[in-house]
């Protein structure tokens, strides 16, 4: 991968923004592929940590991960890993410093036992000359599991509520000393069911927003999570009139499209979700959506080009698609 001529002369502040966004993209793709190989019987969903945590904590300026990877299977406990990712246009030495800084963000999140939460940190180097390199570190641990009878009894179809947890992590003590704590986010066992529901419904909000269905996204978020941003906007794809409908690689998708210019060339981008799955999500049926998408996880096409669309396409295991093509 190389920068275009336009990219080589772009302003320094934009280069920082660019490396950060590309670093996130490469890191999350690497995380999904790695975790899918480590846990082939599970789906991997990525949810933005800021939105998830805002449903339970109001801490400002506190270190936190950027994303959560939820490894789920219908009827089974979920495994959740905090993720922090950074990017740069420098070299490996700079990436090592970014990895060290990223570790502080994932260490501020504990799920289950103290100091046992597995996590992933990434730093993607995008030097001016040379290939892109993803540096990654994994912390192992026995935590991260959302288990217990209460967590499994929770229905993902039911709305979650805003909570007001104090941002602290309880540290174990010895010899009967009073417990101490450090600032951070701790999902203790009694919060497992609530946290599992927040994760699943936040992921559903991301999918429906990706397809342009604001009314569906609204139902999956709380006030603290920013559902007001979807007030008054309903995408036609989930209603009686379709704003954008495409058949890609033989699958009917509903979604939205955008036209933009790339170095002066007009490009169309379509983002959507398989029609039957988007219908389920628009009706709030997260449990049924997860069951069906899990059963179809090996059935999605792997081709990266659709001749009838006349452009590159990417179909994800969650039923979403991103397709692009040049316009005259």
């Amino acid at each position: 991968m190389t920068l275009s001529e336009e990219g080589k002369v772009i302003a320094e502040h934009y280069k920082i923004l660019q490396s950060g966004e590309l670093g996130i993209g490469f890191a999350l793709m690497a995380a999904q592929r790695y975790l899918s190989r480590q846990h082939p019987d599970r789906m991997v969903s990525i949810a933005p940590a800021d939105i998830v945590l805002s449903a339970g904590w109001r801490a400002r300026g506190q270190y936190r991960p950027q994303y959560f990877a939820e490894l789920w299977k219908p009827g089974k406990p979920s495994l959740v890993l905090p993720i922090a990712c950074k990017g740069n246009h420098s070299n490996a030495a700079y990436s090592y410093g970014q990895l060290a800084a990223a570790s502080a963000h994932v260490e501020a999140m504990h799920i289950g036992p103290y100091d046992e939460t597995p996590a992933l940190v990434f730093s993607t180097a995008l030097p001016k000359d040379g290939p892109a390199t993803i540096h990654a570190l994994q912390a192992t641990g026995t935590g991260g599991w959302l288990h217990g009878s209460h967590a499994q009894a929770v229905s993902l179809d039911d709305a979650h509520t805003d909570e007001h947890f104090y941002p602290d992590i309880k540290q174990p003590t010895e010899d009967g000393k009073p417990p101490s704590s450090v600032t951070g986010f701790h999902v203790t066992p009694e919060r497992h069911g609530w946290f599992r529901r927040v994760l699943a419904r936040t992921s559903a909000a991301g999918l429906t927003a990706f397809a342009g269905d604001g009314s569906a996204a609204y139902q999956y978020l709380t006030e603290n999570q920013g559902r007001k941003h979807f007030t008054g906007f309903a995408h036609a794809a989930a209603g009686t009139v379709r704003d954008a409908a495409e058949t890609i690689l033989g699958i009917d998708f509903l979604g939205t499209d955008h036209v933009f210019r790339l170095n002066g060339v007009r490009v169309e981008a379509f983002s959507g979700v398989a029609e039957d799955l988007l219908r389920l999500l628009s009706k709030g049926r997260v449990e049924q959506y997860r069951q069906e998408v899990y059963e179809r996880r090996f059935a999605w096409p792997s081709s990266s080009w659709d001749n009838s669309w006349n452009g590159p396409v990417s179909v994800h295991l969650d039923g979403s698609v991103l397709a692009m093509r040049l316009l005259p």
Side-chain angles (χ1 to χ4, degrees), residues 46-132:
I46 303 294
D50 269 348
I51 297 178
V52 172
L53 294 175
S54 64
W57 294 267
R58 299 298 297 271
R60 303 296 182 186
Q62 168 62 38
Y63 281 126
R64 66 190 67 197
Q66 290 164 283
Y67 295 91
F68 291 114
E70 181 194 4
L71 283 66
W72 58 268
K73 180 179 181 180
K76 300 294 183 180
S78 292
L79 174 62
V80 182
L81 287 82
I83 296 176
C85 36
K86 297 178 178 292
N88 64 80
H89 284 299
S90 189
N91 51 31
Y94 195 90
S95 284
Y96 299 155
Q98 287 191 326
L99 291 173
S103 67
H105 292 267
V106 295
E107 288 171 2
M109 186 76 215
H110 288 218
I111 302 172
Y114 173 79
D115 205 26
E116 286 290 338
T117 305
L120 291 168
V121 295
F122 297 90
S123 173
T124 301
L126 300 158
K128 182 183 298 184
D129 300 312

Side-chain angles (χ1 to χ4, degrees), residues 205-225:
L207 267 177
T208 51
F210 181 72
D213 189 350
S215 62
Y218 176 89
Q219 68 180 315
Y220 291 121
L221 301 173
T222 65
E223 291 296 328
N224 288 347
Q225 289 183 295

Side-chain angles (χ1 to χ4, degrees), residues 123-167:
S123 173
T124 301
L126 300 158
K128 182 183 298 184
D129 300 312
T133 305
I134 302 175
H135 302 269
L137 291 175
Q138 179 184 21
T140 59
T142 59
W145 289 97
L146 303 178
H147 49 62
S149 57
H150 176 66
Q152 296 309 111
V154 165
S155 173
L156 303 181
D157 294 346
D158 296 334
H160 59 279
T161 57
D162 281 324
E163 301 292 342
H164 302 282
F165 303 129
Y166 189 75

Side-chain angles (χ1 to χ4, degrees), residues 33 36 50 93-94 98 114 139 143 145 151 154 195 198 201 203 205 224 230 252 266 268-269 272 278 288 325:
R33 292 191 176 185
S36 294
D50 269 348
Y94 195 90
Q98 287 191 326
Y114 173 79
W145 289 97
V154 165
F195 194 68
V198 174
R201 294 180 68 83
S203 295
N224 288 347
F230 296 97
D252 293 332
R266 295 174 70 240
E268 179 185 7
L278 184 59
Q288 186 177 352
R325 62 184 172 188

Side-chain angles (χ1 to χ4, degrees), residues 244-282:
E246 298 287 347
T247 299
I248 296 175
L249 298 177
I251 302 171
D252 293 332
F253 290 94
L254 291 176
T256 187
D257 55 2
H258 302 275
V259 176
F260 59 94
R261 290 186 181 275
L262 184 62
N263 290 337
V265 179
R266 295 174 70 240
V267 179
E268 179 185 7
F270 171 80
S271 59
V273 175
E275 180 178 359
D276 58 331
L277 297 178
L278 184 59
R279 298 294 186 190
L280 290 175
L281 290 173
S282 67

Side-chain angles (χ1 to χ4, degrees), residues 181-205:
S181 64
V182 294
T183 302
F185 308 95
H186 197 175
V187 181
T188 49
E190 69 274 11
R191 301 172 182 171
H192 282 187
W194 171 85
F195 194 68
R196 174 173 171 264
R197 181 183 287 161
V198 174
L199 278 172
R201 294 180 68 83
T202 302
S203 295

